[in-house]
Amino acid sequence: MSMEGQVVNASVLYKDNELWKDVTPIYPNDAENGAVRINLSEQFVDAFAYLRAAMEKLEYSERTLDLTTDCIQQNPANYSVWQYRREILLHLKKNLGKELEYLDMIIEESPKNYQVWHHRRKCVEELGIGAASGEINFTALIIGDENKNYHAWQHRQWVVRTFKVPYNEEMSFSLRLLLEDHRNNSAYNYRYFLITLYDKNNDKETIDVEINLCKRFIEAMPNNESVWNYLSGLLLNNAFYTTEPDKRSPYLLSFIADAYLERIEKDSNAEASAERASQLYSELTDVDPVRANYWKYQRIHVTNVVERIQAKRN
């Protein structure tokens, strides 16, 4: 369907269309076809031959807009078609709100097509803040169909960063998804994105709320890896555990220390992680004296792991 709502009939070849008699199509040559010839339909070859000719002439017209619609119908992942289409839309000063309606249909049919999401972003950039709420609603619809759609989540993050969408509304959106599915790793990632974007001062109240939320989910589903990863990210990247020394929990400290140990074992900034893990295990010998010998052993284990990693590097 074209921008004006007219159906593009791909069964009618452009070479037989009187409206295109003035254009000499550019077909692929033998070198372009390569050693392995792809079995393309006659309609595909015909449409893209005229597209190449139109692009070479830099023609920005209603007929070339309809031509891009036809080509997109046959290959929605072609970057050059989308780029050319944007140039036509801007040149003709088309209503980009209508273009978003067209893209709704394309994305619903092909939700993981990077090129169409990129085109959508460019159109929204032109439309400005007035398009933000529509994009929030649209991404929610796509995420509702498949909550792991990377492109939809990336687009939503871009909209939030660009147009400063209210923080509380987005936190509520992510919470709703988590209440529906405690294992929704994408929703945890999005929630973490929101906190790091809006709460740059690591507000203790915010972290407290998130930790309590994690506790609730862990109690309901102890083996839920997604919530443990989220909790680990919160604790490792915030100073929560240093705010009230006299109230430090050994469970919290051991969780953080073990997370650092896992980083060491993966050789992720091993030396720095080892220093912090050793400090925590040392503190645990005082906070949790019943298991003091175990925490001392863990400190020795950290040293041994780092030495093995360093030996392997050399």
Side-chain angles (χ1 to χ4, degrees):
M1 184 175 290
S2 76
M3 281 301 301
E4 304 302 326
Q6 299 173 342
V7 175
V8 177
N9 188 351
S11 64
V12 177
L13 299 177
Y14 287 89
K15 66 181 182 180
D16 299 325
N17 190 329
E18 288 295 325
L19 294 177
W20 289 87
K21 287 297 184 183
D22 61 310
V23 176
T24 301
I26 303 175
Y27 293 98
N29 55 40
D30 292 339
E32 289 175 305
N33 283 328
V36 180
R37 184 181 296 273
I38 301 173
N39 187 22
L40 301 172
S41 68
E42 184 180 12
Q43 286 81 9
F44 184 100
V45 173
D46 176 70
F48 276 86
Y50 279 83
L51 177 75
R52 293 177 71 177
M55 291 175 67
E56 187 173 271
K57 291 169 56 181
L58 297 178
E59 179 181 334
Y60 304 125
S61 64
E62 291 291 343
R63 71 173 183 176
T64 55
L65 183 59
D66 285 342
L67 175 59
T68 63
T69 304
D70 192 359
C71 290
I72 287 167
Q73 185 178 17
Q74 298 184 64
N75 182 10
N78 188 304
Y79 175 84
S80 297
V81 179
W82 287 111
Q83 175 66 32
Y84 183 40
R85 183 179 182 87
R86 281 197 298 279
E87 293 172 1
I88 297 170
L89 290 167
L90 295 175
H91 184 85
L92 297 180
K93 295 181 170 55
K94 284 291 185 178
N95 183 343
L96 295 182
K98 289 291 185 182
E99 180 71 0
L100 291 182
E101 293 177 6
Y102 167 72
L103 295 176
D104 289 353
M105 179 179 64
I106 299 296
I107 290 175
E108 287 172 4
E109 294 175 355
S110 184
K112 295 184 178 180
N113 180 346
Y114 168 78
Q115 308 302 346
V116 66
W117 282 105
H118 179 71
H119 179 67
R120 189 179 190 98
R121 177 181 295 193
K122 291 298 183 182
C123 289
V124 175
E125 283 179 350
E126 292 291 333
L127 287 168
I129 193 170
S133 61
E135 294 307 285
I136 290 297
N137 293 335
F138 179 70
T139 53
L141 178 67
I142 299 301
I143 290 168
D145 289 337
E146 184 181 352
N147 61 32
K148 295 185 184 300
N149 188 315
Y150 172 81
H151 301 294
W153 282 111
Q154 287 295 102
H155 188 71
R156 193 179 185 100
Q157 287 188 17
W158 173 78
V159 172
V160 169
R161 282 196 307 269
T162 303
F163 301 113
K164 304 297 184 291
V165 177
Y167 171 73
N168 289 337
E169 292 180 10
E170 291 305 288
M171 289 293 279
S172 296
F173 171 72
S174 65
L175 179 58
R176 185 169 68 252
L177 294 178
L178 290 174
L179 292 174
E180 293 172 358
D181 177 10
H182 296 349
R183 291 191 174 92
N184 189 334
N185 194 57
S186 298
Y188 285 114
N189 288 338
Y190 186 61
R191 199 168 182 85
Y192 189 78
F193 157 78
L194 292 170
I195 290 172
T196 55
L197 178 66
Y198 286 94
D199 187 25
K200 298 185 184 301
N201 295 322
N202 295 325
D203 180 66
K204 182 181 180 301
E205 183 178 351
T206 298
I207 303 303
D208 282 346
V209 169
E210 294 307 298
I211 289 175
N212 287 329
L213 179 66
C214 290
K215 287 179 180 177
R216 175 180 171 182
F217 289 146
I218 289 170
E219 288 170 357
M221 202 174 289
N223 295 322
N224 178 359
E225 183 180 5
S226 294
V227 68
W228 282 109
N229 287 338
Y230 178 57
L231 180 58
S232 176
L234 288 171
L235 298 177
L236 290 176
N237 293 286
N238 288 278
F240 173 79
Y241 50 82
T242 65
T243 56
E244 298 181 76
D246 58 328
K247 295 183 180 179
R248 285 173 177 148
S249 163
Y251 301 106
L252 177 59
L253 291 172
S254 64
F255 175 81
I256 301 170
D258 290 346
Y260 275 113
L261 179 58
E262 184 176 347
R263 284 188 173 186
I264 298 166
E265 291 171 342
K266 293 179 179 178
D267 195 8
S268 177
N269 198 11
E271 286 77 7
S273 297
E275 181 179 356
R276 188 67 188 116
S278 294
Q279 291 172 353
L280 290 165
Y281 286 130
S282 178
E283 185 174 348
L284 277 162
T285 60
D286 297 325
V287 176
D288 186 21
V290 173
R291 294 192 293 170
N293 288 335
Y294 173 73
W295 301 126
K296 290 176 182 177
Y297 167 80
Q298 286 296 88
R299 285 189 67 192
I300 296 171
H301 178 61
V302 166
T303 302
N304 292 338
V305 172
V306 172
E307 288 177 352
R308 286 201 303 269
I309 289 173
Q310 291 173 339
K312 188 181 295 184
R313 290 177 188 163
N314 298 330

